[in-house]
Amino acid sequence: MPRVIYNTATTLNGFLADDQDSLSWLFVVPGADEAESGFSGFLKGIRALVMGSTTYEWILEHESLAEHPDKWPYDDIVSFVLTSRSLPQIPGADIRFRRGGVVDLWGELNDAAGDRDIWLVGGGDLVGQFAEAGHLDEIRVSVAPVTLVSGKPLLPRRLESDRLTLESVRQAGQFAELVYSVRSAGG
Ligand SMILES: NC(=O)c1ccc[n+]([C@@H]2O[C@H](COP(=O)([O-])OP(=O)(O)OC[C@H]3O[C@@H](n4cnc5c(N)ncnc54)[C@H](OP(=O)(O)O)[C@@H]3O)[C@@H](O)[C@H]2O)c1
């Protein structure tokens, strides 16, 4: 069965983005190249990803995908976007818009991933939905030396140390990369 991995950058105080969905604080952190090299290795093990609609719309805008659909960054990955709305499709990309519960999505997601892993891109509530459904195996966070007053939360659920085990710690530039395995609620 594929493993489900939440991999993201975060501020030191647990935000994915500021209140305006800006990542300007992230792109100025020294060491992006070191962090990026680890991330390309991670992507090789991924065949399916899941993101929420805010994240998808951020990529659409940030990469100007309406004008440059070839800039969609996840060509060999089946991409699931969770949304209750009708959002623009990117020509040539395998992007599947779905709504509803993780349990309903799981069969299709599992088939799409095949013998590789599933990347949860975010946001935090979406990852919480997977945790509640028992489909979250690993959390990999790149912690940036940044704090924000408020913003979009990393993972707005209560998971305590009986469920999270620190597996590794690595420095990449000014990022601290932490990997936690996640135990399901019953086991
Ligand atoms: N720091 C990083 O590396 C990093 C990583 C990932 C994301 N981000 C940023 O963090 C922010 C995250 O935004 P966010 O917290 O709003 O989360 P999000 O998960 O990107 O979007 C949330 C939206 O997705 C839709 N959705 C979620 N679950 C659904 C379900 N089960 N069924 C149907 N629709 C569902 C809902 O909108 P609708 O139904 O209205 O469409 C919901 O409001 C974005 O700005 C993103 O760019 C940063």
Side-chain angles (χ1 to χ4, degrees), residues 48-52 80-82 105 109 118-122 126 130:
L49 64 76
V50 190
M51 66 178 75
F80 292 81
V81 176
L82 297 192
L105 181 68
L109 186 54
I118 296 166
W119 174 27
L120 301 184
V121 183
L126 178 150
F130 275 78

Side-chain angles (χ1 to χ4, degrees), residues 1-3 48 80 105-116 118:
M1 199 189 274
R3 288 183 325 132
F80 292 81
L105 181 68
W106 182 249
E108 186 186 5
L109 186 54
N110 199 38
D111 287 350
D115 57 359
R116 296 207 205 157
I118 296 166

Side-chain angles (χ1 to χ4, degrees), residues 62-84:
H62 184 75
E63 300 289 350
S64 307
L65 288 171
E67 300 83 44
H68 305 287
D70 51 302
K71 286 173 74 180
W72 173 249
Y74 307 121
D75 256 350
D76 300 326
I77 297 179
V78 184
S79 300
F80 292 81
V81 176
L82 297 192
T83 184
S84 58

Side-chain angles (χ1 to χ4, degrees):
M1 199 189 274
R3 288 183 325 132
V4 181
I5 303 171
Y6 182 26
N7 188 337
T8 187
T10 176
T11 68
L12 183 58
N13 60 337
F15 294 114
L16 295 177
D18 72 16
D19 287 320
Q20 283 72 47
D21 291 303
S22 170
L23 298 182
S24 58
W25 52 271
L26 178 60
F27 297 128
V28 294
V29 177
D33 289 349
E34 290 99 313
E36 190 55 40
S37 69
F39 188 69
S40 349
F42 165 78
L43 270 190
K44 289 196 178 90
I46 299 297
R47 180 146 313 133
L49 64 76
V50 190
M51 66 178 75
S53 60
T54 313
T55 302
Y56 180 67
E57 288 179 304
W58 184 91
I59 299 172
L60 282 180
E61 190 184 322
H62 184 75
E63 300 289 350
S64 307
L65 288 171
E67 300 83 44
H68 305 287
D70 51 302
K71 286 173 74 180
W72 173 249
Y74 307 121
D75 256 350
D76 300 326
I77 297 179
V78 184
S79 300
F80 292 81
V81 176
L82 297 192
T83 184
S84 58
R85 295 173 293 135
S86 181
L87 295 176
Q89 175 67 265
I90 299 167
D94 188 350
I95 298 174
R96 305 180 189 180
F97 300 101
R98 298 288 181 268
R99 69 178 73 191
V102 173
V103 172
D104 299 328
L105 181 68
W106 182 249
E108 186 186 5
L109 186 54
N110 199 38
D111 287 350
D115 57 359
R116 296 207 205 157
D117 292 331
I118 296 166
W119 174 27
L120 301 184
V121 183
D125 180 74
L126 178 150
V127 176
Q129 296 173 47
F130 275 78
E132 284 163 355
H135 290 304
L136 178 62
D137 299 305
E138 191 171 281
I139 298 172
R140 308 175 74 95
V141 283
S142 294
V143 182
V146 176
T147 64
L148 296 172
V149 173
S150 59
K152 299 299 175 77
L154 172 66
L155 182 40
R157 294 294 190 281
R158 188 165 179 137
L159 296 178
E160 296 193 15
S161 57
D162 59 330
R163 296 195 51 198
L164 298 178
T165 303
L166 181 62
E167 301 289 353
S168 70
V169 176
R170 186 177 88 99
Q171 180 167 358
Q174 283 299 302
F175 291 92
E177 294 183 352
L178 312 177
V179 178
Y180 294 89
S181 56
V182 183
R183 205 166 296 127
S184 61

